[in-house]
Amino acid sequence: MNELDLRTHCRDRGLAEHELDADPMRQFHMWFDEWLGTDPLEPNAMALATADAQGVPSVRIVLLKGLANEGFSFFTNYDSEKGMDLAANPNAALCFYWMPFERQVRVTGKVARVPRKETEAYFRSRPRGSQIGAWASKQSAVLADRATLERDALDAEARFKGQEIPPPPQWGGYLLKPDAVEFWQGRSSRLHDRFRYTRKGRGWLVERLYP
Ligand SMILES: Cc1cc2nc3c(=O)[nH]c(=O)nc-3n(C[C@H](O)[C@H](O)[C@H](O)COP(=O)(O)O)c2cc1C
């Protein structure tokens, strides 16, 4: 087979203007709840795109950890490659793909670090192994070998033996506040429905886009 022909049957379930909430975060919640209803693995996985000071892009999966404060939050290492990108250029993009519904959501906006208290509260909720891992990992730096990582994890475990583990200083959350959110509903014959929200005054402008 030279060409991948993996098209699945399209249910052609449309998305109409009148179904859309005036607020994209509420619209996102509606779609996200439907997605959660399918009991997916890693339901909160999302692609996060950043670009460095030269505009060179980079994309990776992270987990969506909050939808409060009118934005999307995730946690990571501030010294990682993405952290460096975001320090130089706070513009970022997210992309969600929810296959059973043939839906995609794209978000662009600027990120800011979440208050330290929020990072501490989230970190406290993590399993101890993940907390140790956060201390052991110099995320995105070159690692000589696996043994070094395992030794670093043992060192972190010894350091915090019998104590509560705080988040490492270089680890924390970001909140991406959207400037634009696009909801894409797959339909047959590539005649998909697309609606883009962009900020207008204190509300949002909603426009239909060609697929
Ligand atoms: C399903 C999945 C979930 C992930 N969740 C996170 C996350 O929440 N935070 C994080 O820093 N990295 C997460 N990663 C790892 C990132 O994809 C990436 O490898 C890491 O953050 C380093 O990226 P960077 O070098 O671009 O900074 C996840 C990877 C996968 C596949």
Side-chain angles (χ1 to χ4, degrees), residues 6 10 40 79 84 116 120 161 191 206:
L6 301 172
C10 200
D79 292 342
M84 296 297 177
R116 198 66 194 157
E120 286 164 357
K161 196 162 194 260
L191 301 181
V206 184

Side-chain angles (χ1 to χ4, degrees), residues 54-92:
Q54 282 72 47
V56 178
S58 185
V59 63
R60 80 289 287 155
I61 301 294
V62 294
L63 298 180
L64 173 67
K65 286 294 174 181
L67 285 169
N69 305 317
E70 296 181 354
F72 300 80
S73 54
F74 56 91
F75 290 84
T76 191
N77 187 312
Y78 292 139
D79 292 342
S80 64
E81 186 189 308
K82 75 181 91 47
M84 296 297 177
D85 283 2
L86 292 170
N89 174 4
N91 292 292

Side-chain angles (χ1 to χ4, degrees), residues 161-189:
K161 196 162 194 260
Q163 300 170 41
E164 204 180 301
I165 307 178
Q170 73 285 4
W171 191 94
Y174 289 101
L175 177 73
L176 187 152
K177 279 208 174 174
D179 296 322
V181 186
E182 183 199 311
F183 294 87
W184 184 100
Q185 175 67 66
R187 299 198 56 181
S188 60
S189 309

